[in-house]
Amino acid sequence: MNWNAFLFGASAALALVGALFAVGLKNIFHNILGFALSLVGVAGLFLTLGSDFLAIVLLLVYVGALGIAMVYAVMLSQPLDTPRTPRSLPKVVGSALLAAVVAMALWLVIRRAHFPPSGGSLEVTPQMTGYRLLSDYVLAFELISILLVIAMMGAVMVARKDRSRSGRAASAAPKASP
Amino acid sequence: MTGATVAALLAQGSPLLACAVVLIALRGRPRAAAALGIAGMGVSFAASAYLVAAVAVPGHSFLAQTVFLPVDAAHSLAFGVLLDPLSTTMALVVSGITLAVMAYSTGYMAGDPGYARYFGFLALFAWAMQGLVLSANLLQTLAFWELVGLASFLLIGFWFERPAPAAAARKAFIMTRVGDVGFLLGVLLLLRALGLATIPDVIAAAAPGGALTPRTVSVAAALLLMGVIGKSAQGPLFTWLPDAMEGPTPVSALLHSATMVAAGVYLVARLHPLFMAAPAVMHALLWLALVTALATATMAMVATDIKRVLAYSTISQLGYMLMGLAAGSAAAGFFHLVTHAGFKALLFLSAGIFIHHAHSNEMQEISERAPWSQRAGVIGLVAGSAALAGVIPFAGYFSKEAILGSLGTGASPLVVALAYLGAGLTAYYAFRMVFVTLGGTGARAHGGTDAPTHGGTGERGHGATAGERAMQVTVLLLAVLTLVLGYLGPWLGARLAPGEAAHGPFDVGVGALAALALVAAGIALAWVEFGRRGARRVGFVERMPALARFFGDNWYLDRLYRATVIRWAVALARAAHWNDRTIVDGATDGLADGTIGGGRLLALVQSGYVQVYLTVALGLIAALAYVLGRAGGVP
Amino acid sequence: MTWLHWYLLVALLLFCVGLYGLVQRRSLIAMLIALELMLAAVSLNIVAITSLSGSSSSVGQVVALILIGVAAAEGAIALSLFVAIQREVQSINVENLSELKG
């Protein structure tokens, strides 16, 4: 049995099925779970490509961090007993049409593209990646760090309650725009 | 510019100036308007008299023309004057009659609120008619022809606040317009064939050796005749003239008897050689004029309104003039035009005196309100009727003799017989009118008391004694003229038809005697039926009610028109209106609605929803990518 | 259809399913989920290409790592924005957020 192909097929199937759950199901938690499932599939695909480090990072960040954050956001935002309005058929049809058109266009581009044959081997280790990050792509590495810090601060500031509106005395912390 | 040219321009220009000043500045000053109008006509009359003296030499012709709008070598617009015995005599007739009518109108129209406007329009008419008479090329004639029609419209509908005059003015204008279509086409045909050509050039080209083929000449003659038929109220287009009597009586005297309707006859006389070169057309004209003359004579025999009798009589006499011209004698036809202008104007103005006094047009009512108290009117009526009937030595006898004589030489015996019959009928209805108007109970009462009832179709404007004097003097002057004009025959003949043998005024041959006998018979019949004491005052036609109704209603021609032409025209107008509302407006509105709808459709893109924006953007880009991918890249 | 094309096909399908969800779903969080799917598809694309063609595959790894980092940051901001929106208009239905209409 061709394990490569089997693994590829299973991971692909998982990814796609999870994606369909993520967008198709009605319950938002089901969507988040489908999202997680799909990412497991994508991680499997990364494994077949030899990027095991990347697969683990994907799972950690997307599923572990982002997925849980989404669950929190769901808890904080919508009351869970609101009545569900039914989907509108024109919207479904329109979206499906758009997705189909984009797919066709992109597939056409892919078919016509010329990919030079593979030169290197499939073997890539985290060492090599780390080395790259700190030598050739150090600027990107630093910038992404800064970006993450800013994102953290920004998220806190955006989600914070507006003090002046609640009427409490001004705190020692400097006034920040909501 | 020579003296003759100056005089010719003065003859046209002074009425124009008077018209302009009166209509622009003198609306509120009636006496000044009348004075200016009469002064203008006086100048025109003097200029015309000078022209007659200077130019009306046998065989003499003078032409002066300048191009005022050059188009190309062959086609330009030119304005000029053509002076020869025919045009100068006509100018004199026109200006003279207009002057008399203006003087008369100071009395007749006194007190009318539109007094100044009236004189302005009369001056307008005089300008247009003089311009027509003296014009040098056919386009100029056409322009003045239409202007004369305009003046007629304005004057018939002078009392436009009332529905009848307004309708009559419209009818006159539209009916003459129908004829004018043919006239325009004829002028255009000649223009195309000859370019800018003066009238003498056209006549020369129509001669057997000239530039026009016989076919072209015939077609042009037939087309020009359509205009003549419309303007001179012959044939199928005559019904506007009886209705035109809704205008003031002096207007009827001037336009619709003496001058304007004679413009058609004048045109035929002016272009007589061209018409004679189309013998088939002339033959048709002869028969048409004859039938018209006889038919309208029958209508005059049953009319009860004095002005209508005179209107039918005008049409009938115009028919006689055209018969004379069609039979080949320009001199005879024109001679009758001149004498007719004199005695028909006299008849209308005399009738006006009676109408003014009795406040009614109906002969019966006039006869009941002391007509004999209006002595000038009586004299005028009798003299005019004698001239109309053709009693020697009044003017009408001589001119009618000339016409009957020319028919004798140029037409078939049947035509001649019918023409003589018409002469007898003319005498009958003319004296019927006299006897009915002047006879009857209470007619001989003296004293100018107004009728106790204000009624009928009497016209407005009752003047002071000075005005009445003006009316009486004018009428008496014209009455004298009718005795004198008859002797003009040989003079005119020498100038208009130098080659023809002229018979003197007292040549009495078989034809003349036969005519006189018929005239006497007609007068006698009228006397028996209407004039003698104890007469029943019912005509022999009126004893047959069906026939009387037929004669009295324009031989049912108006009914025919209402049932056919008018109905079709109205249907066409309705269809055009529907087309305008539904199709044209509908298309424009539809375009506007479509634009608005399209705009609304496109506005859906700006919905404010992110998802819509995303869909539109990505969709378009994908489609573009697909197309480019298929085409193999960006071209 | 080489292996590369298969991977690219899967990435394409994931991307388009995510696009469908982005355009069709009403809830902002559902839209975010779909968006993250699309980003995952993109990183799969990059890794596949650099692994199965071209010379060196470590470049693809770096790019994919950065991409994951960016996706996480953007997701965090987005979620905090949703919380703020919920406070303002009491709803996270994207159809209520159309003030730019017209």
Side-chain angles (χ1 to χ4, degrees):
Chain A
M1 176 120 137
N2 191 346
W3 283 109
N4 244 359
F6 174 73
L7 215 56
F8 170 79
S11 306
L14 209 60
L16 287 172
V17 167
L20 287 171
F21 283 179
V23 302
L25 298 180
K26 290 215 169 79
N27 189 337
I28 189 77
F29 288 113
H30 297 172
N31 294 339
I32 298 176
L33 287 174
F35 177 59
L37 191 66
S38 173
L39 285 169
V40 168
V42 174
L45 285 172
F46 277 176
L47 280 176
T48 62
L49 284 173
S51 314
D52 31 1
F53 174 65
L54 212 53
I56 303 299
V57 168
L58 191 86
L59 282 176
L60 277 174
V61 171
Y62 269 105
V63 180
L66 212 51
I68 304 301
M70 285 181 200
V71 173
Y72 270 114
V74 168
M75 294 298 199
L76 285 171
S77 58
Q78 58 194 51
L80 291 168
D81 51 356
T82 48
R84 293 277 168 80
T85 49
R87 294 174 205 217
S88 78
L89 187 62
K91 207 170 180 194
V92 169
V93 169
S95 321
L97 208 62
L98 173 69
V101 167
V102 171
M104 277 200 297
L106 287 176
W107 183 241
L108 184 68
V109 172
I110 288 173
R111 287 302 269 159
R112 284 187 181 242
H114 171 70
F115 297 102
S118 170
S121 69
L122 213 51
E123 202 62 42
V124 61
T125 63
Q127 264 172 316
M128 288 167 64
T129 312
Y131 180 74
R132 283 284 194 182
L133 269 179
L134 290 173
S135 62
D136 293 329
Y137 299 104
V138 66
L139 180 64
F141 178 66
E142 299 298 337
L143 282 178
I144 192 74
S145 317
I146 298 175
L147 177 69
L148 285 167
V149 171
I150 293 175
M152 203 158 48
M153 290 199 314
V156 170
M157 279 168 57
V158 166
R160 202 158 65 142
K161 273 211 174 77
D162 190 4
R163 291 270 177 109
S164 59
R165 221 189 302 158
S166 61
R168 283 205 271 168
S171 67
K175 213 170 188 175
S177 56
Chain B
M1 273 205 293
T2 66
T5 316
V6 170
L9 290 175
L10 211 56
Q12 302 175 50
S14 73
L16 174 62
L17 187 64
C19 162
V21 173
V22 165
L23 287 180
I24 293 174
L26 292 178
R27 288 287 190 111
R29 309 201 9 214
R31 278 212 299 260
L36 189 61
I38 292 179
M41 275 329 291
V43 169
S44 178
F45 182 69
S48 308
Y50 167 76
L51 283 172
V52 169
V55 175
V57 175
H60 181 100
S61 171
F62 170 83
L63 180 99
Q65 181 173 271
T66 89
V67 172
F68 70 89
L69 196 69
V71 175
D72 61 33
H75 306 88
S76 308
L77 293 184
F79 181 87
V81 291
L82 171 63
L83 306 171
D84 67 352
L86 180 65
S87 66
T88 52
T89 313
M90 186 73 182
L92 188 66
V93 169
V94 168
S95 54
I97 304 268
T98 311
L99 189 59
V101 164
M102 274 194 180
Y104 179 92
S105 304
T106 58
Y108 191 87
M109 298 293 288
D112 190 297
Y115 190 79
R117 177 167 56 104
Y118 175 82
F119 276 93
F121 288 161
L122 273 187
L124 174 74
F125 165 75
W127 164 58
M129 193 70 203
Q130 291 283 55
L132 192 156
V133 164
L134 297 170
S135 59
N137 61 59
L138 278 176
L139 269 179
Q140 197 181 336
T141 309
L142 176 63
F144 281 116
W145 185 275
E146 301 297 346
L147 276 170
V148 165
L150 171 69
S152 165
F153 172 79
L154 291 171
L155 284 165
I156 294 175
F158 184 70
W159 291 310
F160 57 84
E161 307 90 5
R162 288 198 270 134
R170 272 201 306 274
K171 182 173 179 177
F173 192 72
I174 293 178
M175 275 189 125
T176 52
R177 243 21 196 121
V178 170
D180 289 349
V181 168
F183 189 48
L184 176 66
L185 288 174
V187 170
L188 288 177
L189 181 65
L190 289 171
L191 194 72
R192 195 168 78 100
L194 299 172
L196 167 65
T198 61
I199 291 180
D201 291 345
V202 171
I203 292 177
L212 295 173
T213 66
R215 180 110 154 287
T216 313
V217 170
S218 295
V219 172
L223 287 171
L224 291 172
L225 266 184
M226 277 184 67
V228 170
I229 287 172
K231 187 71 83 182
S232 296
Q234 300 293 297
L237 295 177
F238 81 88
T239 60
W240 67 268
L241 192 52
D243 286 3
M245 298 297 112
E246 295 285 342
T249 306
V251 167
S252 308
L254 180 59
L255 269 71
H256 306 121
S257 58
T259 46
M260 191 195 87
V261 293
V265 178
Y266 176 75
L267 184 79
V268 178
R270 179 83 271 170
L271 293 171
H272 199 233
L274 182 146
F275 284 105
M276 290 313 294
V281 175
M282 281 287 104
H283 192 72
L285 176 65
L286 182 68
W287 276 99
L288 182 69
L290 179 66
V291 169
T292 308
L294 286 176
T296 47
T298 63
M299 296 177 206
M301 288 177 357
V302 297
T304 56
D305 178 334
I306 193 172
K307 285 181 73 174
R308 275 184 93 94
V309 173
L310 294 175
Y312 287 126
S313 164
T314 303
I315 304 174
S316 185
Q317 295 305 302
L318 286 169
Y320 271 94
M321 292 176 219
L322 286 171
M323 276 200 280
L325 284 164
S329 169
F334 187 67
F335 182 31
H336 197 54
L337 191 158
V338 173
T339 59
H340 176 263
F343 64 70
K344 200 40 80 60
L346 170 67
L347 278 169
F348 266 106
L349 296 182
S350 312
I353 290 182
F354 290 121
I355 294 170
H356 185 92
H357 172 71
H359 301 281
S360 165
N361 286 12
E362 295 290 322
M363 297 192 285
Q364 193 64 35
E365 293 181 18
I366 293 175
S367 74
E368 289 165 3
R369 294 174 189 168
W372 283 88
S373 64
Q374 310 295 308
R375 276 191 292 259
V378 171
I379 295 175
L381 194 67
V382 173
S385 302
L388 174 59
V391 174
I392 204 171
F394 290 91
Y397 163 74
F398 298 104
S399 56
K400 198 167 291 190
E401 269 322 294
I403 290 193
L404 292 174
S406 71
L407 282 176
T409 54
S412 71
L414 177 62
V415 171
V416 176
L418 287 172
Y420 274 89
L421 174 66
L425 290 178
T426 306
Y428 171 70
Y429 72 65
F431 276 88
R432 169 179 176 270
M433 173 180 71
V434 170
F435 292 136
V436 171
T437 311
L438 297 180
T441 60
R444 298 246 167 205
H446 284 274
T449 52
D450 277 354
T453 54
H454 231 278
T457 56
E459 300 160 356
R460 303 186 254 169
H462 313 301
T465 318
E468 286 177 352
R469 190 143 322 185
M471 291 162 51
Q472 290 159 4
V473 166
T474 317
V475 165
L476 287 172
L477 265 174
L478 281 174
V480 168
L481 212 59
T482 55
L483 281 171
V484 166
L485 276 178
Y487 302 97
L488 213 55
W491 185 90
L492 268 177
R495 275 151 187 76
L496 294 180
E500 276 178 29
H503 48 204
F506 290 102
D507 280 355
V508 177
V510 173
L513 283 174
L516 280 174
L518 275 171
V519 164
I523 297 178
L525 185 59
W527 162 261
V528 162
E529 289 184 343
F530 298 97
R532 64 192 166 102
R533 222 170 283 268
R536 299 255 219 97
R537 302 171 68 85
V538 175
F540 66 92
V541 176
E542 286 150 347
R543 290 168 200 266
M544 298 177 264
L547 201 58
R549 269 200 302 275
F550 178 59
F551 287 164
D553 198 359
N554 286 348
W555 280 25
Y556 293 148
L557 208 55
D558 272 335
R559 286 205 200 176
L560 177 69
Y561 288 154
R562 236 194 308 276
T564 53
V565 177
I566 293 180
R567 195 190 289 177
W568 298 335
V570 169
L572 193 64
R574 285 219 183 91
H577 183 242
W578 173 88
N579 175 54
D580 185 50
R581 280 279 191 83
T582 312
I583 295 182
V584 175
D585 274 357
T588 327
D589 289 346
L591 201 64
D593 288 340
T595 314
I596 294 177
R600 287 220 182 91
L601 202 63
L602 286 176
L604 289 174
V605 174
Q606 301 295 327
S607 60
Y609 299 132
V610 170
Q611 292 168 325
V612 172
Y613 292 160
L614 195 61
T615 311
V616 170
L618 272 182
L620 285 175
I621 292 174
L624 186 64
Y626 187 80
V627 166
L628 287 178
R630 280 259 155 210
V634 180
Chain C
M1 277 287 281
T2 64
W3 272 118
L4 177 60
H5 283 124
W6 279 109
Y7 278 97
L8 293 183
L9 179 64
V10 172
L12 173 69
L13 289 174
L14 263 180
F15 184 81
C16 290
V17 169
L19 182 61
Y20 168 82
L22 180 63
V23 175
Q24 195 268 324
R25 300 304 299 267
R26 248 196 303 261
S27 160
L28 281 174
I29 297 181
M31 286 169 71
L32 180 67
I33 293 171
L35 191 63
E36 295 298 339
L37 263 180
M38 289 162 79
L39 281 167
V42 169
S43 55
L44 174 62
N45 210 1
I46 291 176
V47 171
I49 289 179
T50 54
S51 300
L52 296 176
S53 85
S55 50
S56 100
S57 60
S58 54
V59 176
Q61 306 279 310
V62 170
V63 172
L65 269 176
I66 307 273
L67 190 49
I68 291 173
V70 169
E74 164 243 331
I77 301 276
L79 288 168
S80 67
L81 274 173
F82 294 165
V83 171
I85 288 174
Q86 162 71 14
R87 213 179 292 140
E88 286 295 321
V89 295
Q90 279 79 46
S91 153
I92 51 168
N93 190 341
V94 70
E95 285 163 5
N96 293 345
L97 302 172
S98 63
E99 276 180 39
L100 283 179
K101 180 173 182 147

